[in-house]
Amino acid sequence: MGFGVWLPGARAGLGGGFEGERDWSLLYVELPVMVLGVPALTLVSWALVRAAMGGRGGRWARVAVSAGTAVAALVVLGLACLAWWAARDAGRTPI
């Protein structure tokens, strides 16, 4: 999901969209954050909720709450990625 949001916003910076200048920070900062950070934070949130629940509730309750937390984390992180893209796109003028 992170790569899908990153690519359209990064295309202009990688292709020299502004006077032929390329923005290399897209590759060494933003790409790893979105491609590796989004799944890592989702897994961390899932593991924290699973550990916090411990043995409480039934097996299906633990699975449902952990899955719900992972989905919520993906939604929040996806919205954060889209906010990054909108902010990056706002400063660019159409060619």
Side-chain angles (χ1 to χ4, degrees):
M1 175 164 61
F3 185 74
V5 173
W6 174 84
L7 187 60
R11 193 166 281 150
L14 293 175
F18 180 72
E19 295 182 357
E21 289 190 28
R22 289 181 167 78
D23 186 5
W24 295 110
S25 70
L26 290 167
L27 292 176
Y28 63 82
V29 175
E30 294 170 1
L31 177 63
V33 166
M34 288 197 187
V35 171
L36 300 175
V38 169
L41 287 174
T42 302
L43 288 174
V44 165
S45 66
W46 172 78
L48 286 174
V49 167
R50 194 157 170 91
M53 289 195 68
R56 292 182 292 245
R59 181 176 194 271
W60 293 108
R62 288 192 307 268
V63 169
V65 171
S66 297
T69 301
V71 168
L74 280 174
V75 168
V76 168
L77 292 170
L79 291 173
C81 290
L82 288 173
W84 162 85
W85 183 64
R88 190 159 190 64
D89 197 42
R92 190 176 46 185
T93 58
I95 297 174

